[in-house]
Amino acid sequence: MDLDQDGHIDIISGSYSRDSNGVDGMAGTFQVLYGLSGGQFKKAETLNGSDGKPLLLPGSGEKELTMRICTRPFVVDWDGDGKLDIVTGNFEGGFFWFKGEGKGKFNPKAEPIMVDGKALKLPTGGHHSDPFIVDFDGDGDLDLMSGSTDGGVYMAENIAGKGKPPVLKPFKAVIFPAGKEWAQTGGKVRREADLKRPTYGCRIWVEDVNGDGKLDILVGDQTTLATPKKGITDAEMEKKYAEWQKDYNASSETFQKAIKGIDLQKQLSPKDAETYQKANQDLSKIYQKRSDFVTEEMTGFVWLYLQK
């Protein structure tokens, strides 16, 4: 999109977090690569608000950390005033927008997107909100769609009408969440051929992929494949995994007891550092035993849902 309206396409990205500056702590900034002629781009830079400071989501302290990090922007004229705005997701699954002031300038105050007087959030405890703004139901106004960590894709329907500030309905599932059995391998064998759907950490793109005049959904996900080591059967792997899980859970409890009272947010004393290091090494040894019988691969796939 042409963020600053200079006739060149620009690229905007969110980020998990910038480094803490000791004042307002961790927060996800927005980065922009301004376009040049010939399809070239300038070096990425932090996107500032009209006050000259980085655009940041609200919140302070550890309790509101997940509100400020893992930004995921979508640039669109959200309020219908003819100026581009930024709608963004975050780690906790909420949605905010920065009002555009024209030519790539944005009000520094982020406003929560509301539904029925409450801040819109992903349902079923989903995280990593992933806004995609499009007229999905074809009624002339912009709906808000989102992927989710739970493997689902959701739509908040806009009922305001074309050219009016959005009035959203609560989220409904367009692609239902995966369920706990798909989120992790849980000690079960999972090969690529076993996958039937997106599993976790979904990001979406909406487009008429097959040119039939209907909007389709592309879903990128994150998943873990698990296969037995050479010479081990599927059943043996699952049995060994169950035995390992018991040992690991017990070791985790021992680890937590050992470091109880140690504040990991502060510089550790030599004694606390030694205690933590030993406890962590013991836990790591148990964790690494898993690789004796299973090969796990974190990967992801792109799924295509064609609208009927």
Side-chain angles (χ1 to χ4, degrees):
M1 103 296 305
D2 184 1
L3 187 69
D4 55 3
Q5 299 176 326
D6 66 351
H8 302 302
I9 297 298
D10 310 308
I11 298 174
I12 183 173
S13 173
S15 64
Y16 187 86
S17 176
R18 65 178 183 179
D19 292 335
S20 174
N21 60 10
V23 179
D24 49 21
M26 294 175 63
T29 58
F30 301 95
Q31 302 294 312
V32 59
L33 290 82
Y34 289 109
L36 300 170
S37 60
Q40 302 297 308
F41 293 90
K42 295 180 181 180
K43 183 179 179 180
E45 59 185 84
T46 299
L47 182 60
N48 294 328
S50 55
D51 61 354
K53 300 178 182 180
L55 287 178
L56 297 176
L57 292 175
S60 61
E62 291 299 316
K63 290 185 178 180
E64 295 180 321
L65 175 61
T66 56
M67 185 187 299
R68 305 194 306 272
I69 62 176
C70 201
T71 51
R72 201 311 229 164
F74 192 99
V75 178
V76 65
D77 180 8
W78 180 242
D79 57 358
D81 67 353
K83 300 174 183 177
L84 291 175
D85 311 301
I86 296 176
V87 175
T88 184
N90 61 7
F91 186 102
E92 73 168 8
F95 297 83
F96 290 82
W97 71 293
F98 293 91
K99 182 176 177 60
E101 298 176 354
K103 295 186 178 182
K105 302 296 183 182
F106 299 92
N107 189 298
K109 182 180 179 181
E111 301 179 32
I113 292 179
M114 309 294 287
V115 172
D116 294 335
K118 298 180 180 179
L120 178 66
K121 289 188 177 182
L122 287 171
T124 66
H127 301 294
H128 292 188
S129 38
D130 174 43
F132 195 101
I133 315 299
V134 65
D135 181 12
F136 191 71
D137 55 10
D139 65 354
D141 54 24
L142 296 173
D143 308 302
L144 191 156
M145 303 185 69
S146 179
S148 174
T149 52
D150 68 12
V153 176
Y154 300 93
M155 179 179 79
E157 181 186 357
N158 185 3
I159 58 175
K162 185 176 181 179
K164 298 180 181 179
V167 177
L168 300 180
K169 296 175 66 174
F171 273 127
K172 67 176 182 180
V174 178
I175 298 171
F176 285 93
K180 292 182 179 179
E181 68 275 15
W182 288 104
Q184 303 292 335
T185 59
K188 301 294 183 181
V189 174
R190 182 191 287 172
R191 298 180 174 88
E192 183 175 336
D194 298 323
L195 298 174
K196 307 298 182 185
R197 52 153 301 127
T199 59
Y200 183 82
C202 292
R203 300 293 197 184
I204 65 170
W205 188 269
V206 181
E207 189 75 39
D208 180 7
V209 174
N210 59 354
D212 66 353
K214 300 175 183 177
L215 290 175
D216 310 304
I217 304 176
L218 288 159
V219 184
D221 75 345
Q222 175 185 328
T223 194
T224 300
L225 303 179
T227 53
K229 281 292 185 68
K230 186 177 181 180
I232 299 176
T233 67
D234 290 6
E236 287 172 340
M237 190 206 92
E238 293 180 5
K239 180 180 179 181
K240 288 177 179 293
Y241 198 105
E243 293 170 351
W244 169 85
Q245 188 70 66
K246 291 180 181 179
D247 291 341
Y248 184 74
N249 289 344
S251 183
S252 295
E253 290 183 11
T254 302
F255 173 80
Q256 293 299 328
K257 290 178 181 178
I259 68 168
K260 187 176 181 180
I262 297 178
D263 188 350
L264 299 178
Q265 302 298 320
K266 297 180 180 179
Q267 185 173 354
L268 302 184
S269 67
K271 181 180 179 180
D272 284 347
E274 182 180 358
T275 299
Y276 175 79
Q277 184 176 17
K278 184 180 185 306
N280 190 53
Q281 287 175 344
D282 292 342
L283 181 63
S284 295
K285 288 178 182 178
I286 299 295
Y287 182 84
Q288 290 168 5
K289 287 183 178 181
R290 185 174 62 171
S291 62
D292 293 343
F293 55 86
V294 62
T295 297
E296 289 192 332
E297 177 190 3
M298 289 189 65
T299 185
F301 298 87
V302 177
W303 303 79
L304 172 60
Y305 286 81
L306 296 173
Q307 188 172 171
K308 296 180 179 179

